[in-house]
Amino acid sequence: DEESDPDFIALLTASTALAISNVPWAGPVAGVKIMKRKMSGEFVINPKNSEVAAGFELVTFVAGTTDKINMIELEGIEATESNAADAFAAGLVHITKLVDWQKKIVQEIGNAKVAVPLMEPHEEMKSKIHDFLSGKIEKAIYVKDKTEREQSVRALEAELVAFLTDAGADATNIEAAKHFFEEEIDAVVHKNVLDSGKRPDGRGLDEVRELYGEVGLLKRTHGSALFMRGNTQSLAITTLGPPSAEQLVETIEFSGKKRFLLHYNFPSYSVGETGPFRGPGRREIGHGALALKAVKHSIPTPGEFPYTIRVVSEVLSSNGSSSMATVCATTLSLMDAGVPIKKMVAGIAMGMMSDDAGNYKILTDIQGPEDHYGDMDFKVAGTREGITAVQMDVKINGLTPKILAEALEKARIARLHILGVMEKVLSKPRDHVSPYAPVILTVQIPPDKIGEVIGPGGKVINGIIRDTGALAIDIEEDGLVFVTADTKEKAEAALSEVKSIVKTYAVGDIVEGEVVKILEFGAIVQLGPRQDGMIHVSELKEGFVKKVEDVVKVGDFVRAKVVRADPDGRIGLSLKALG
């Protein structure tokens, strides 16, 4: 179905199948797609793809249970926080209906769930482990430096294993104890945040880590920028290419070209590990798509900036939210490359700690332990005016619309802070592209002249490229021509040849050109790279002319008047008509 995405029906089908099976599960769940129209402002549930293409302020897929949301994907064109929150709440109403519908099916044909025993230490060992770890987890976890924290946690786990081995625990119980060790850390991190607002690195709940930005690091590239948020670092490199470098994409849902590409690399060394790099994997594809979604509506149109644009984000170090660091680095890199983006875009990751009693606290700019042990990963990107992208997942049953609205507002405040720092690094796009970037010149020609420029089998256009040294000549269906070269001179030479091919002459026009050939009955004058005209001997001067060379010679530069312009392109010139 070209008008509908499969997300809605696929999630509903998978949820229903799990719900009626004997697999232990906390569902059912369901999801809906919601669009807020750009003009009318109304919400549309499960809009058709053609409706989305017609214009929107935001379009989001929201999933959840009866009263809570557990997953969000959103694309916005500077959507307000209040409109995003309203969209989530509207979606939850329909999600609840779909979940109730599944529950009725379960009542009729559902199977009893299987009880699956989990491997865990016996109560006496749990008590020993708890006593052994008492007071030690805080010392291991509450360290500002990421590397030191990881080392201290590994050291504490090794101490625990040694303690249990000495106590006579077997291999099975030791493996179970390692899982219990993680649960103990999780409990401590939750308790300290909920009871006293204490975070592992000592920051306040709403405090963003130290920020740093730099542009123009790599002089030979077209644009580059480094953005750092604490230990998380993204190096973004921008490359500009001709329109012919656009990516051709053909999928079930989309067929066409993409002129803005964003690739995200997450090598093992960014998290202190080693291993083969066999990308792109799930992470690289997903994070790259999220960052692209956040930035793409700030990219200028081809008419404003005709280049194909590719950005590669190299994550040099990661301690949480490298995708949002990629958004910031990409924005700065594009500006460094001279891309006239419409608005600066920044991103932030929000987290949350909660308990079974309903208490919760939202965390701004989560890092490693808060992401790993926390209950929410809520990434929000946007401009000063509004949201451009959201992605959220949770490790609990879900979030209420009230919590989501609060998280959106805190994310807005953090985003404005980050944008302020970025503006100090580079306040606006550079007014020129890199000298190493190709030069692109454009000209509009009549669509019915496209065939003449291309020539049979591409003979004419390839000849222009060969003769002038241009890199590429691309022609759109509407007659817009893009000439790309590595120097302005080469681009202008190729553009001149294109113009000469499509230039039309009318009787009475005054033209200039060089005499390139003498014939018995006249002279040939070159009017342009691929256009000439003939002066008949009778049009050289008043009176009888015995020899053409008596009036003009090869190499002479003459000024003449057009006296004949045939539909087939032949031009007749006259010197005597100028008087």
Side-chain angles (χ1 to χ4, degrees):
D1 182 0
E2 294 180 357
E3 281 287 14
S4 302
D5 289 332
D7 311 43
F8 163 76
I9 193 68
L11 177 59
L12 188 63
T13 305
S15 173
T16 305
L18 278 170
I20 64 175
S21 74
N22 64 355
V23 178
W25 192 47
V29 298
V32 292
K33 189 175 184 178
I34 308 164
M35 179 186 75
K36 184 172 178 30
R37 293 188 192 276
K38 189 173 185 179
M39 301 302 295
S40 66
E42 66 177 317
F43 286 114
V44 181
I45 303 300
N46 285 336
K48 296 178 179 178
N49 290 336
S50 57
E51 292 180 291
V52 175
F56 59 87
E57 178 185 331
L58 66 84
V59 57
T60 179
F61 189 86
V62 183
T65 58
T66 302
D67 57 353
K68 292 181 179 179
I69 293 171
N70 59 24
M71 191 282 293
I72 297 171
E73 289 275 354
L74 180 145
E75 178 180 343
I77 304 178
E78 296 186 309
T80 65
E81 279 71 18
S82 60
N83 284 341
D86 289 345
F88 302 152
L92 189 57
V93 173
H94 294 273
I95 289 169
T96 299
K97 294 178 181 178
L98 292 169
V99 170
D100 290 342
W101 175 76
Q102 292 179 71
K103 287 180 178 178
K104 292 178 182 178
I105 296 175
V106 173
Q107 289 175 357
E108 293 182 18
I109 60 172
N111 292 287
K113 298 299 183 181
V114 173
V116 180
L118 300 177
M119 182 181 71
E120 58 181 343
H122 53 73
E123 292 303 320
E124 182 182 352
M125 181 171 286
K126 283 185 179 180
S127 179
K128 286 183 179 181
I129 295 172
H130 181 78
D131 292 342
F132 176 82
L133 295 174
S134 179
K136 296 179 181 178
I137 289 179
E138 284 85 350
K139 293 180 181 180
I141 287 289
Y142 290 85
V143 178
K144 190 169 185 179
D145 181 74
K146 173 190 174 183
T147 302
E148 185 179 345
R149 183 189 306 115
E150 291 174 346
Q151 291 174 345
S152 61
V153 169
R154 285 197 296 268
L156 181 56
E157 184 182 55
E159 288 180 29
L160 175 61
V161 170
F163 167 75
L164 295 175
T165 301
D166 291 341
D170 59 21
T172 300
N173 276 313
I174 288 177
E175 284 302 312
K178 290 180 180 179
H179 293 288
F180 186 66
F181 173 65
E182 286 288 308
E183 293 176 6
E184 288 286 285
I185 296 177
D186 184 286
V188 170
V189 172
H190 271 74
K191 183 177 186 302
N192 284 340
V193 169
L194 291 171
D195 292 352
S196 58
K198 184 180 178 182
R199 300 178 69 172
D201 62 355
R203 282 182 294 143
L205 296 180
D206 299 331
E207 185 179 349
V208 178
R209 285 172 288 175
E210 183 180 358
L211 303 175
Y212 174 81
E214 184 178 345
V215 295
L217 294 84
L218 308 176
K219 304 302 180 185
R220 191 58 180 81
T221 62
H222 301 162
S224 61
L226 174 68
F227 182 82
M228 298 170 58
R229 184 190 292 118
N231 291 121
T232 298
Q233 305 177 15
S234 169
L235 173 64
I237 301 98
T238 298
T239 304
L240 305 178
S244 57
E246 290 178 324
Q247 183 181 29
L248 297 175
V249 178
E250 186 171 352
T251 67
I252 295 176
E253 299 177 350
F254 174 81
S255 179
K257 297 179 179 179
K258 290 186 177 181
R259 61 181 287 264
F260 175 50
L261 316 174
L262 196 158
H263 297 139
Y264 165 102
N265 291 328
F266 192 85
S268 299
Y269 64 74
S270 65
V271 286
E273 298 175 358
T274 60
F277 187 75
R278 298 193 182 103
R282 175 191 60 83
R283 181 191 186 95
E284 284 79 11
I285 293 172
H287 281 34
L290 174 61
L292 184 143
K293 185 192 302 181
V295 178
K296 71 177 184 179
H297 292 293
S298 282
I299 298 297
T301 64
E304 297 168 322
F305 193 74
Y307 292 90
T308 295
I309 306 163
R310 183 190 184 212
V311 179
V312 177
S313 170
E314 302 287 354
V315 178
L316 307 181
S317 175
S318 179
N319 187 22
S321 190
S322 57
S323 64
M324 295 297 96
T326 290
V327 171
C328 301
T330 294
T331 297
L332 291 172
S333 179
L334 289 168
M335 294 169 64
D336 183 53
V339 180
I341 61 173
K342 299 171 185 176
K343 299 283 182 70
M344 294 182 71
V345 185
I348 189 70
M350 311 297 292
M352 187 184 75
M353 300 290 175
S354 62
D355 61 20
D356 294 337
N359 302 306
Y360 69 91
K361 285 188 178 177
I362 294 174
L363 310 178
T364 296
D365 184 23
I366 57 173
Q367 58 172 333
E370 296 162 339
D371 185 9
H372 183 71
Y373 299 109
D375 301 328
M376 173 181 79
D377 185 6
F378 191 28
K379 302 181 181 75
V380 185
T383 67
R384 284 193 172 275
E385 284 67 37
I387 298 168
T388 56
V390 172
Q391 185 181 76
M392 187 208 75
D393 58 74
V394 296
K395 298 186 181 77
I396 54 177
N397 192 38
L399 307 174
T400 64
K402 174 179 177 295
I403 295 175
L404 290 171
E406 184 180 341
L408 284 171
E409 176 57 22
K410 288 180 179 291
R412 184 188 69 83
I413 295 171
R415 185 172 76 247
L416 295 181
H417 167 66
I418 296 167
L419 284 168
V421 174
M422 292 169 61
E423 287 163 355
K424 292 178 181 178
V425 177
L426 190 61
S427 60
K428 62 179 182 178
R430 301 198 190 280
D431 57 8
H432 57 84
V433 298
S434 164
Y436 300 112
V439 176
I440 299 182
L441 302 179
T442 62
V443 65
Q444 184 73 48
I445 67 173
D448 59 359
K449 294 284 187 178
I450 293 175
E452 296 181 30
V453 175
I454 295 175
K459 182 178 180 180
V460 175
I461 197 169
N462 289 330
I464 297 174
I465 293 172
R466 181 187 63 250
D467 296 342
T468 62
L471 298 175
I473 299 177
D474 303 295
I475 307 177
E476 299 292 330
E477 292 182 359
D478 62 356
L480 184 60
V481 180
F482 300 92
V483 177
T484 307
D486 54 10
T487 67
K488 187 176 181 181
E489 292 73 21
K490 293 178 182 178
E492 288 176 338
L495 192 69
S496 177
E497 295 216 17
V498 172
K499 289 180 177 178
S500 73
I501 293 173
V502 301
K503 181 175 175 60
T504 58
Y505 295 86
V507 174
D509 288 349
I510 306 301
V511 297
E512 296 177 340
E514 181 185 357
V515 177
V516 294
K517 191 174 183 179
I518 300 296
L519 305 171
E520 289 184 7
F521 50 83
I524 304 298
V525 178
Q526 186 173 21
L527 304 178
R530 296 181 184 271
Q531 179 67 59
D532 56 35
M534 189 187 78
I535 309 174
H536 192 267
V537 66
S538 63
E539 296 292 338
L540 287 172
K541 70 174 186 176
E542 295 291 347
F544 176 73
V545 176
K546 184 176 182 180
K547 293 177 60 179
V548 174
E549 289 91 336
D550 292 341
V551 182
V552 294
K553 296 180 177 62
V554 172
D556 288 351
F557 194 81
V558 299
R559 192 164 183 264
K561 188 173 186 178
V562 178
V563 293
R564 190 184 80 251
D566 296 341
D568 61 4
R570 288 186 290 182
I571 305 297
L573 305 174
S574 174
L575 294 181
K576 73 178 185 180
L578 290 176

